[in-house]
Amino acid sequence: MNKITVEAAQPYDVLIGDGLLEQCGRLIRQACSAARKVLIVSDTNVAPLYMDTVKSSLEGEGFIVSEYIFPAGEEEKNISSVAGMWSEMAREGFTRTDIVAALGGGVTGDMGGFAAATFLRGIRVVQISTSLLSMVDASVGGKTGIDLPQGKNLVGAFCQPALVIEDTGCLRSLSTEHFTEGMAEVIKYAFIMDGTLFRILSSRAESGSAGSLQTDAEALTDIVCRCVRDKAMIIAQDEHDNGIRQILNYGHTIGHVIERDSNYSLSHGVCVAKGMGIIIRACRRSGSLESKSADMMTELIRAYNLPTEDKITPEQAAEGARNDKKKRGDTISVILVNKIGSAEICRMSTEELLEFLKT
Ligand code: GLY
């Protein structure tokens, strides 16, 4: 088992390894010794696969366990689902020492975390990630929340977990589609801060083994650990997204607009890949990113079966970005990669973003 500690104001561990779901009761008991009750939050895709294992592991440690299962999908990431979780905890008589365990991917982690952040003005959450996207990004760093019709993640709270459990065995059962979308976030780290990861992913792609990563348990675990270490390093510096943490949003500002405009029919990872593709082309046209690097970046995204193009116009992208939750006053932070392995934060008005996308 790999252990990476996130040095947030209240530090916590991310545990990564095969078969951790069976041990989750013991691991959660160590991290949350005062807890008696646990609400497991999960969706209709994940619960049939893992709920029984997690529940019996928790009950084996003496926890009183209840469940809240919601229909799978980003469109369920709303206040009604969170209200269902609040009601369940109220019915079960949860107190401040009890916990939520969010079992699943990014949507489950965001909502379970938000329900925990707000119930009784804040109880603890344990993130139990089952998707690649959640393991490398969403479950670490304490961002929780829900979507509004006007935009993604517009309501939420920072709520650092008490513990993150990442059972890499779950990655074997992911659909190719879900695995591929998670790769968008992996590639993001390679672009913004991890030149070594870029080389690892590129050399797999060049040797024709990009497609076998999902079944290469050792390589995959190393990559997940790498991404979590990268993210932990960022969170230690900027827990509340006021500075360097914003680089993790590379490709996301436009990606979120594409995602919302598709009514969430396109997955988050696919939209982030498209958003990265659009920014790569804009940087190349503006002359800040060398053509060779732009080609290498675009090829890497495509090698992992992700798209780099979208029909969104610069006008639609800039207009959609007006609602970006990271907007401060009249400007938004646009993340640029002008050299592979490092990112910069560029503050732009929506008019400047439009000009940049049109260059
Ligand atoms: N997913 C971006 C962040 O955690 O800041």
Side-chain angles (χ1 to χ4, degrees):
M1 176 167 73
N2 299 275
K3 179 169 95 172
I4 297 164
T5 303
V6 181
E7 299 291 350
Q10 239 186 309
Y12 57 94
D13 292 333
V14 181
L15 307 177
I16 302 163
D18 198 349
L20 296 190
L21 289 189
E22 282 90 355
Q23 304 172 45
C24 73
R26 178 179 59 82
L27 301 171
I28 293 174
R29 173 57 71 213
Q30 282 164 2
C32 307
S33 53
R36 286 178 55 239
K37 295 180 183 168
V38 183
L39 175 69
I40 308 176
V41 170
S42 196
D43 72 22
T44 46
N45 287 343
V46 173
L49 297 174
Y50 305 122
M51 180 63 86
D52 286 350
T53 306
V54 170
K55 199 171 176 187
S56 68
S57 180
L58 285 163
E59 285 173 345
E61 282 295 322
F63 288 107
I64 300 161
V65 182
S66 46
E67 302 170 16
Y68 183 86
I69 299 172
F70 60 93
E74 182 78 31
E75 57 287 357
E76 298 298 325
K77 202 170 118 181
N78 56 41
I79 195 65
S80 311
S81 301
V82 173
M85 298 172 198
W86 290 330
S87 299
E88 190 59 35
M89 289 190 276
R91 226 182 345 259
E92 293 292 328
F94 271 47
T95 70
R96 283 219 169 129
T97 45
D98 296 324
I99 55 175
V100 173
L103 170 66
V107 170
T108 304
D110 281 5
M111 279 205 296
F114 187 54
T118 43
F119 189 73
L120 301 180
R121 299 204 175 90
I123 64 172
R124 303 305 309 272
V125 62
V126 173
Q127 297 284 354
I128 309 178
S129 298
T130 60
S131 76
L132 180 61
L133 188 139
S134 170
M135 288 186 194
V136 299
D137 186 54
S139 66
V140 181
K143 281 190 180 172
T144 73
I146 53 169
D147 302 332
L148 293 184
Q150 292 81 358
K152 205 172 143 74
N153 298 331
L154 286 186
V155 176
F158 285 100
C159 177
Q160 298 294 340
L163 178 70
V164 182
I165 297 173
E166 307 196 345
D167 184 340
T168 49
C170 298
L171 298 176
R172 284 194 288 274
S173 69
L174 275 188
S175 65
T176 309
E177 188 190 342
H178 282 115
F179 183 81
T180 303
E181 77 144 333
M183 283 306 296
E185 297 284 1
V186 172
I187 291 169
K188 173 193 80 177
Y189 290 104
F191 289 167
I192 62 170
M193 64 187 293
D194 195 337
T196 306
L197 180 58
F198 184 87
R199 285 186 285 283
I200 293 170
L201 296 174
S202 299
S203 77
R204 271 198 94 89
E206 278 155 24
S207 66
S209 53
S212 64
L213 181 58
Q214 186 173 2
T215 51
D216 185 343
E218 199 182 328
L220 190 53
T221 302
D222 283 350
I223 286 172
V224 170
C225 289
R226 236 197 132 80
C227 294
V228 172
R229 261 186 230 106
D230 286 341
K231 183 149 187 186
M233 202 155 62
I234 298 274
I235 303 303
Q237 294 171 68
D238 177 22
E239 195 172 321
H240 293 111
D241 214 10
N242 293 317
I244 191 167
R245 183 166 179 170
Q246 293 172 47
I247 69 171
L248 297 171
N249 287 312
Y250 183 59
H252 283 58
T253 299
I254 297 172
H256 281 163
V257 180
I258 297 172
E259 197 176 347
R260 189 200 60 195
D261 289 354
S262 79
N263 279 328
Y264 303 105
S265 62
L266 292 175
S267 71
H268 177 67
V270 161
C271 296
V272 167
K274 287 170 174 251
M276 292 194 290
I278 290 168
I279 291 289
I280 291 167
R281 284 191 293 284
C283 285
R284 175 197 205 134
R285 284 193 303 267
S286 74
S288 62
L289 176 67
E290 284 178 5
S291 295
K292 188 169 171 239
S293 301
D295 286 343
M296 286 163 66
M297 293 168 76
T298 309
E299 276 161 24
L300 189 70
I301 298 173
R302 291 188 185 143
Y304 286 86
N305 276 324
L306 286 158
T308 56
E309 316 264 347
D310 189 78
K311 60 181 186 336
I312 193 169
T313 63
E315 288 75 12
Q316 288 166 330
E319 182 56 33
R322 272 184 205 283
N323 261 334
D324 193 277
K325 66 186 172 308
K326 287 166 288 294
K327 194 163 178 220
R328 283 158 211 234
D330 285 334
T331 59
I332 30 177
S333 297
V334 180
I335 313 307
L336 307 180
V337 169
N338 291 319
K339 185 171 170 288
I340 294 170
S342 77
E344 53 191 85
I345 303 168
C346 192
R347 297 226 50 100
M348 293 185 195
S349 63
T350 40
E351 292 73 25
E352 286 165 335
L353 176 60
L354 177 59
E355 280 314 300
F356 175 65
L357 295 174
K358 280 166 82 175
T359 36

